[in-house]
Amino acid sequence: NAGVTQTPKFQVLKTGQSMTLQCAQDMNHNSMYWYRQDPGMGLRLIYYSASEGTTDKGEVPNGYNVSRLNKREFSLRLESAAPSQTSVYFCASSLQRSSSYEQYFGPGTRLTVT
Amino acid sequence: GESVGLHLPTLSVQEGDNSIINCAYSNSASDYFIWYKQESGKGPQFIIDIRSNMDKRQGQRVTVLLNKTVKHLSLQIAATQPGDSAVYFCAENLSGYSTLTFGKGTMLLVSP
């Protein structure tokens, strides 16, 4: 199993450009998440999808959109990138059993907006 | 990943020492807690979890202690090794929700 995969690993955008970050998991998990990580800020939730067909806003959704394409894939789109969106983006997935809410993380996408 | 450590509390220990990393959580209604380890340039990895009906749980070389009275969580690492050098995050789950709320992290530096 590859676990959680993310593409691309690195990206540089100019202000105003758009792009989509891709995430896929092969663990048959129900829930998927997008986080951003900034120095000293920990992980902040952007959007999540508790199950296929649903998406919900997290703590910092402004400037982003998501699509849960199917059970495996959850993409994050920046329609008009801004320098404030320079960050490391992590996708995660979870089985969401009542006994455990463990999330499995991908390797991250390092995005710079100039 | 290397920039994650900027401005974080840092714990520096010698190889072989025991390490204790602390975390204060925010919501008294949280009933599930996780510790994650994040090495430079990588995504967070699960270490150990604990439910609120327990006050201690042990894993391999790690122990998590939960004090619900003061909303405090700690991670103890026995015989710390250079490979334990990383940023450690605690996370809490609020009962009935499918999301985790993460703390800001502590950097652990282990010198040989």
Side-chain angles (χ1 to χ4, degrees), chain A residues 30-87:
Chain A
N30 300 321
S31 302
M32 298 185 74
Y33 309 83
W34 276 105
Y35 294 90
R36 61 177 289 172
Q37 186 174 43
D38 302 294
M41 296 293 290
L43 289 154
R44 292 186 292 170
L45 184 65
I46 305 171
Y47 269 94
Y48 67 102
S49 171
S51 60
E52 189 179 354
T54 69
T55 60
D56 287 285
K57 295 179 181 179
E59 181 186 352
V60 289
N62 291 346
Y64 305 95
N65 284 301
V66 291
S67 294
R68 183 76 182 266
L69 304 169
N70 47 55
K71 192 171 187 180
R72 290 187 63 247
E73 298 172 287
F74 188 39
S75 63
L76 178 72
R77 183 158 178 84
L78 286 69
E79 289 292 350
S80 179
S84 61
Q85 293 179 304
T86 293
S87 189

Side-chain angles (χ1 to χ4, degrees), chain B residues 5 7 11 15 17-18 22 28 37-38 44 46 50 52 63 67-68 72-73 76 80 84-85 99-100 105-107:
Chain B
H7 314 302
L11 175 65
E15 183 177 1
D17 287 352
N18 296 332
N22 296 304
S28 56
K37 172 186 180 183
Q38 186 177 25
F46 172 87
I50 189 168
S52 60
T63 300
N67 184 330
K68 294 180 288 292
H72 183 267
L73 200 62
Q76 301 178 359
T80 314
D84 294 326
S85 293
T99 58
L100 294 173
T106 296
M107 176 170 280

Side-chain angles (χ1 to χ4, degrees), chain A residues 33 35 37 39-43 45 48 50 88 90 96 98-107 110, chain B residues 1 3-4 6 8 32 34 36 38 41-44 46 49 51 89 93 97-100 102-104:
Chain A
Y33 309 83
Y35 294 90
Q37 186 174 43
M41 296 293 290
L43 289 154
L45 184 65
Y48 67 102
V88 182
F90 288 101
Q96 286 298 310
S98 59
S99 59
S100 172
Y101 294 92
E102 179 185 350
Q103 294 180 13
Y104 295 77
F105 285 82
R110 284 145 186 82
Chain B
S3 63
V4 168
L6 290 176
L8 287 178
Y32 175 82
I34 299 184
Y36 280 91
Q38 186 177 25
K42 297 184 179 180
F46 172 87
D49 59 2
R51 295 204 72 89
F89 294 96
N93 170 259
Y97 288 79
S98 58
T99 58
L100 294 173
F102 285 81
K104 289 183 171 38

